[in-house]
Each structure stands twice: as C-alpha cells, then as structure tokens.
Amino acid sequence: MAGREAGNTADDTSGAGGAPSAPAHRTGEAPLPVPGQPGAPDEKPAPEKTGPAAEDGAAEDGQADAPHPHTCACPACPRGTRAAHREAQAAFRARRDALAAGEGLPAAVSYSAGASRQWISDELTQAAREVGARARAEAEGWYVLLWRRTLNVVWGAVAVLFLGQVATAFAAGWTAARTAGLLAALIGAGLLTGAARLHGRRGGVLAPVIGEDNRLSTSRAVAALWVLLTAYAVLVLAGRLAFASGAGERDTLIAGLDLARGAGLVTVLAVTCAVAVVVRRVVAVRVQGQRLQKAQAPRPRAADLLTDDSGRAHFADTQYVLVSAVAQVYAAVRLARRPDQLPDLPWGLALLVLVSAATYLASKYAEGSRPVIHAVVRAREAGDLDGPIRTGDDIEIRGAGFLPPSARTPDRLARMVVRIGAVHVHVPLVPVPGGFTNPSDTTLTVPVPVEVEPGKAEVQLVSAAGVETNKVTIEVGD
C-alpha cells in the first residue's frame, strides 16, 4: 500500500493519471515529437527571435497577454511553455505505462530481471528529466504573466476605492478626507507598480512574499498586509495634513499619530514582522541542519497561505491568516470612520492577533521531517531461499520520510541514491500503471552491486529532497 501511495503522489505532481493520452513508442523507434519542435508531424516550428527583440521578450512588448498559437515557442510565452509541458507529461505517462506492461523492452535485456529493471529505470529517468525541464520553463512563463495580473489587481483596488468614494459622497458630500484617501491609494499603487516592474521575473508585487521554496509565505503575506495598511493610514494623515487650513486642524492630525492612539496597531505590526523574520531563520536553520526537508515547488499558489507543503489544510497557517484578516478589516473600518488618526486597534483584538502569531510560530518550531532508516533486510521473491545478503541480491530499506510531500515528482525520485559502503547506487524506478511501486515513502529496494566488498558496510539514503538519513550497518557475505 505504501508503494501504491507513493506512486499516486508522484503521479499527481507529474500530471500522470488516467488513461494515457499518447501512444508509447517501442524501442528503436523515434521518441514522441513535441509540438513546437522541429520534426513534429503537421507542425512547423515557430521562428526564433534574434537581436534586441529577443532580449526584450514577449513580456516587455505585451505579447505575453496576446493570443499565441499552440505551437508558439516564445521563451516567455506562458501558452507555448504550458502546451510543451503537457505534451511532455503525456509522453512520459504513455512511456511509463507501456514499460509497466512490458512493452518496448529490447531483447538484450529481457532475459534478466535486474537488467530489465535497470534499463526501464534509465529510460524513465531520461523522460522525467525532460518533464522537469518543461515544468521549469512553464513556471518562468507563468511568472511573466503573473506580474501583470498583480498590477491589474492593485489598480483594480484603486478603482473600487474611487467608486466607493463617489457612491458615498452623494449623501455626505465630498470631503478632504476622501481626497486624501484617493491620493494615498494612488501613491501606494504607484510605488507597488515600480516595485513590480523591478521584480517582474519573480512575481511582481508578490515577489516579497514568495519564499525560497517558491511558495507563498504565510508569515510574510500577513506581515506585508499589516505594513500596507499602516503605510496607507500614514499617507492618509499626510494628505489630510497637506489640505488642512487651520492650526487647530493641523494639531489634531499630528496628535492622531500619537503612540497612545496607535499602540495596538504598532504592536501588532512589530510582532507580525518579527514573526516573519524569525520563521525564515528557523526554516533556514532546520533545512541547513537536515532536520527539515524542503524542495522547490513548481510555482506559488494562493492555497499556500493555508496549507502545508503537501497541499493539506494546516491549522496554524489557517488560523493566523483568518485572525489577521479579521483584525485588518476592523482597522480599515476604523480608519474610514476616523481618518484623522491611526486606527485605534483595541487591545483585546491586538492580543488575539498576538496569540495567533505565537501559535503559528510555535508550529514552525515543531515542524520536522528528517528521513530515517529503521531496518535493512534482504529482499526475497517467492520461491527464493532464505540466506545472508550477498552481492547481486536486492535489499529492502525500511523507514519513514523517504519521499517528502514537496519532492515526489519523477525527476526528483530519480535522484534518490543509496550509499552502500563506498558505492553509490541510484534507486531504480519501478513503474506500474498510474505510478511507481519503487521508491515509496516507507520502503525502497536497491541491488547490492558487485563493487561492494564482503564484510560490514554502512547503508545510508539520500532522500528525494537531498537530505541524508542515519546509517545502518549490514553484513555482506561472500
């Protein structure tokens, strides 16, 4: 069951699942052509750009948002890279399922189970690397499209604020506070637009909240929202102060910045920013100390704010985002009602945010997923005699955490290595329709090569995330 679960997980990430969408090619035949590449049937490769036009890219001249043909090969075209990635996934699924059914094996290796397994693993490894390269190209093209969409959201929010100001002005009339609010929104949107252009290849406005693992960071996102709210409130007060005509009004606005009125907001801002910094340090130290397995995600998703690396809802993250969002809504309403001072966040609500932040921080300290080997035994097929481990035998490594949730794509599974003494053995990929039986999260099987000297030998695994396990000593017989 563990092998089946691992196969399904890797299958979900690689796009495998369901019926193959392309026929498998047999050994000796040409590999499946990918649209957009020379040699594809009934397809013509798109011409490549050269010179300054190629350096500017589709993202700079607006072509990233324009319709592109299915065979587009623009480096920055999300549609072209997405189509190429899907074609590579379909070819990999078809090849994997065909090999799982025993199709396409050359006669030179079909006589030996070990040779067949090694040949199949090498074939799938090459195909998995191609899928991984296409996935990275698709992610780069997706970033080009993302930064423009984030700007649309920013300026859309400014437009909604303007419409709301106009709609409510019919009853109360237009005031200096409304003008200051709109000017503050325009200034903030302008600054975000400049920052987004500088970081267009990293997500634009979202670049500061994307973590090193290519996921949206919950702690950074919450802290960033509090920073934006506080900066907007200060800009509103600055605008009110610029339009103030009387000395008494100016004194009132300056007094609105007193710590006594904004103590709750300032405290929450300081704590959430400190949590973001501490969490980044905690995660970095645990990863460097091999106490936490982290792997790059294909691209950030909005769901990252509420889930763990495996995509399951995470209590600590969800409650932190929810409580902070409620407090920010309250603060925004207070600012709308009293634009002459910082939002006076009640201490009860501020304390609720602090407790939520402490819970989130404690969960980060409690995280840990280092792989561990429990035992190493000789693998035995039906009909085999029991005996000691000898060179040429298969050994079964039992443990936990071999496949972290963030590293179950086929190209990462192909990087798993077992050290047997001084010999490095790559873990073979054993396919079944829809996934793999080897490796799995709790067991994996590798052969003992003839290069291993008889006697005691230490076995150690390098997991799919590149983390080393503990060492287990085995006895290799003559």
Side-chain angles (χ1 to χ4, degrees):
M1 180 174 293
R4 182 62 179 173
E5 180 182 355
N8 292 338
T9 307
D11 176 70
D12 293 339
T13 311
S14 65
S21 57
H25 65 277
R26 296 180 179 274
T27 305
E29 297 179 358
L32 293 176
V34 178
Q37 293 184 345
D42 301 326
E43 304 280 6
K44 293 183 179 180
E48 296 183 357
K49 290 184 178 182
T50 57
E55 297 177 359
D56 293 339
E60 302 297 334
D61 55 18
Q63 293 182 7
D65 296 322
H68 284 243
H70 179 70
T71 57
C72 176
C74 297
C77 173
R79 293 173 179 84
T81 54
R82 186 184 304 117
H85 183 208
R86 290 177 178 176
E87 292 290 345
Q89 286 178 325
F92 177 84
R93 291 195 301 266
R95 186 64 171 153
R96 180 202 60 204
D97 293 343
L99 291 174
E103 301 177 1
L105 286 176
V109 299
S110 60
Y111 69 92
S112 171
S116 299
R117 182 178 60 185
Q118 186 61 48
W119 186 89
I120 290 174
S121 179
D122 292 342
E123 286 285 300
L124 293 177
T125 298
Q126 294 296 329
R129 290 174 180 172
E130 176 66 18
V131 175
R134 295 297 177 88
R136 290 187 291 271
E138 180 188 2
E140 293 176 0
W142 180 81
Y143 273 120
V144 172
L145 197 59
L146 175 65
W147 81 274
R148 293 183 179 274
R149 291 179 176 176
T150 55
L151 289 185
N152 292 338
V153 172
V154 170
W155 288 102
V158 174
V160 170
L161 177 63
F162 173 74
L163 294 176
Q165 296 278 36
V166 171
T168 56
F170 287 106
W174 194 267
T175 62
R178 299 179 188 276
T179 303
L182 286 178
L183 288 178
L186 290 174
I187 293 174
L191 294 175
L192 290 177
T193 300
R197 289 187 176 275
L198 291 176
H199 300 280
R201 296 289 181 179
R202 288 297 303 164
V205 175
L206 297 180
V209 298
I210 297 177
E212 287 72 15
D213 58 352
N214 212 27
R215 295 178 177 85
L216 288 180
S217 170
T218 302
S219 59
R220 298 185 196 180
V222 170
L225 289 177
W226 281 110
V227 169
L228 290 176
L229 178 61
T230 306
Y232 178 75
V234 174
L235 286 175
V236 170
L237 287 175
R240 289 291 310 279
L241 187 62
F243 288 104
S245 56
E249 184 180 0
R250 288 194 293 269
D251 292 341
T252 301
L253 292 171
I254 293 175
L257 290 172
D258 287 345
L259 183 61
R261 297 183 178 181
L265 177 63
V266 173
T267 302
V268 169
L269 176 65
V271 170
T272 53
C273 290
V275 167
V277 174
V278 172
V279 166
R280 180 180 181 181
R281 178 60 180 170
V282 168
V283 172
V285 169
R286 286 178 173 270
V287 170
Q288 293 173 2
Q290 295 191 357
R291 290 178 291 171
L292 180 65
Q293 298 190 83
K294 280 281 188 179
Q296 289 280 332
R299 63 187 185 186
R301 305 176 304 156
D304 294 339
L305 300 177
L306 307 176
T307 60
D308 55 16
D309 291 350
S310 63
R312 294 175 296 185
H314 195 266
F315 169 75
D317 294 53
T318 301
Q319 61 86 27
Y320 190 36
V321 171
L322 180 61
V323 172
S324 297
V326 171
Q328 288 164 3
V329 170
Y330 179 88
V333 172
R334 290 294 297 169
L335 178 62
R337 300 293 294 178
R338 295 292 302 273
D340 56 346
Q341 66 179 36
L342 288 176
D344 51 342
L345 201 65
W347 278 110
L349 186 56
L351 182 60
L352 181 61
V353 176
L354 299 185
V355 171
S356 176
T359 303
Y360 174 80
L361 184 60
S363 71
K364 290 300 178 181
Y365 272 102
E367 285 184 357
S369 58
R370 182 173 183 175
V372 58
I373 296 178
H374 295 154
V376 178
V377 299
R378 177 177 178 267
R380 177 181 177 275
E381 298 292 340
D384 286 351
L385 298 177
D386 294 325
I389 299 175
R390 295 184 175 88
T391 57
D393 291 343
D394 289 341
I395 57 174
E396 182 180 286
I397 302 175
R398 301 172 182 175
F402 298 160
L403 306 181
S406 55
R408 297 188 176 184
T409 55
D411 58 324
R412 290 192 176 274
L413 297 182
R415 300 176 187 175
M416 297 181 66
V417 175
V418 175
R419 297 193 187 103
I420 306 177
V423 182
H424 292 68
V425 183
H426 286 78
V427 178
L429 300 178
V430 180
V432 293
F436 300 93
T437 58
N438 189 66
S440 71
D441 189 54
T442 57
T443 60
L444 56 87
T445 302
V446 295
V448 179
V450 295
E451 289 80 6
V452 176
E453 297 291 338
K456 293 185 179 297
E458 291 184 336
V459 177
Q460 185 180 33
L461 169 68
V462 180
S463 73
V467 178
E468 296 178 343
T469 65
N470 57 308
K471 297 179 180 180
V472 175
T473 302
I474 62 173
E475 183 76 27
V476 180
D478 292 332

